[in-house]
């Protein structure tokens, strides 16, 4: 079973956060790129991803570009993690990305939740990476006519885990 990467990229573009500045239609634009990570002669290579199958490793890159001549501050970069993808630990770049299960509440990784035990007590447990749905970065200031990238690697969920 193959999953088409283009549909994900289109979905990200349609939902991509775009910052606006007063008097400018699109102050910041976002372009998404998807790469498949392959090993060739024990060397990692990135190739443009058009489709993927369960177990494949992908890297998504979002390029934020300031189309104005003025700096834009407090920029937050957000990247969705679609169903059927599992975030690879320590892959988000730059480091210190926040994660979310719902796209509204973001927290430092690893995400944790409290689970009620049989005896009624609450125990804090790690949220499985397969349940992460968004990443967010504080990108700080984006200077005029400059770009900044954010990226993360994800694995296409093996069929046994996607059911």
């Amino acid at each position: 079973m193959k999953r088409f990467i283009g549909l994900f990229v289109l979905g990200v573009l349609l939902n991509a956060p775009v910052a606006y500045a007063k008097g400018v239609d699109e102050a910041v634009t976002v372009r998404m790129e998807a790469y498949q990570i392959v090993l060739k002669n024990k060397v990692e290579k990135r190739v443009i991803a058009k489709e993927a199958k369960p177990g494949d490793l992908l890297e998504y890159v979002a390029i934020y570009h300031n189309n104005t001549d003025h700096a834009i501050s407090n920029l937050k970069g957000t990247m969705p993690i679609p169903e059927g993808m599992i975030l690879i630990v320590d892959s988000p770049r730059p480091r210190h990305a926040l994660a979310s299960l719902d796209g509204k509440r973001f927290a430092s990784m690893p995400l944790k939740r409290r689970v009620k035990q049989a005896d009624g007590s609450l125990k804090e447990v790690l949220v499985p990476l397969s349940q992460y749905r968004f990443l967010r970065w504080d990108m700080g200031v984006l200077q005029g006519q400059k770009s900044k990238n954010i990226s993360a690697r994800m694995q296409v969920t093996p069929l046994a885990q996607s059911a």
Side-chain angles (χ1 to χ4, degrees):
M1 170 191 226
K2 292 184 179 178
R3 296 196 178 124
F4 292 92
I5 302 310
L7 295 176
F8 167 65
V9 173
L10 178 61
V12 170
L13 288 174
L14 292 176
N15 295 312
V18 177
Y20 294 96
K22 191 174 186 179
V24 178
D25 289 334
E26 291 187 32
V28 176
T29 52
V30 184
R31 186 177 83 240
M32 289 291 296
E33 298 176 350
Y35 299 94
Q36 186 172 11
I37 307 301
V38 295
L39 281 177
K40 193 169 186 173
N41 299 325
K42 297 183 181 182
V43 175
E44 230 181 53
K45 290 193 160 245
R46 287 184 352 166
V47 296
I48 293 173
K50 295 181 180 155
E51 59 184 33
K53 61 185 182 309
D56 283 353
L57 181 61
L58 304 174
E59 182 173 0
Y60 290 99
V61 180
I63 300 129
Y64 284 74
H65 182 76
N66 181 348
N67 297 306
T68 74
D69 292 327
H70 310 287
I72 295 177
S73 28
N74 300 319
L75 185 63
K76 305 272 190 247
T78 302
M79 180 180 289
I81 302 171
E83 287 282 333
M85 301 294 279
I86 299 173
L87 176 67
I88 302 299
V89 176
D90 294 331
S91 73
R93 296 289 183 263
R95 293 186 183 269
H96 308 298
L98 301 176
S100 174
L101 303 177
D102 60 9
K104 296 174 186 164
R105 296 178 307 256
F106 286 84
S108 297
M109 293 186 273
L111 294 179
K112 298 174 184 175
R113 69 167 54 111
R114 297 179 127 205
V115 176
K116 192 172 191 175
Q117 303 300 298
D119 66 2
S121 65
L122 292 175
K123 180 180 178 184
E124 193 169 72
V125 299
L126 294 177
V127 174
L129 292 169
S130 61
Q131 294 179 15
Y132 287 36
R133 288 293 156 256
F134 294 88
L135 297 174
R136 178 169 287 163
W137 289 261
D138 180 355
M139 297 175 73
V141 176
L142 182 55
Q143 297 299 325
Q145 299 302 325
K146 299 290 182 185
S147 296
K148 284 188 180 181
N149 298 353
I150 56 176
S151 67
R153 289 185 175 186
M154 301 169 208
Q155 183 180 35
V156 179
T157 308
L159 291 176
Q161 291 183 11
S162 62

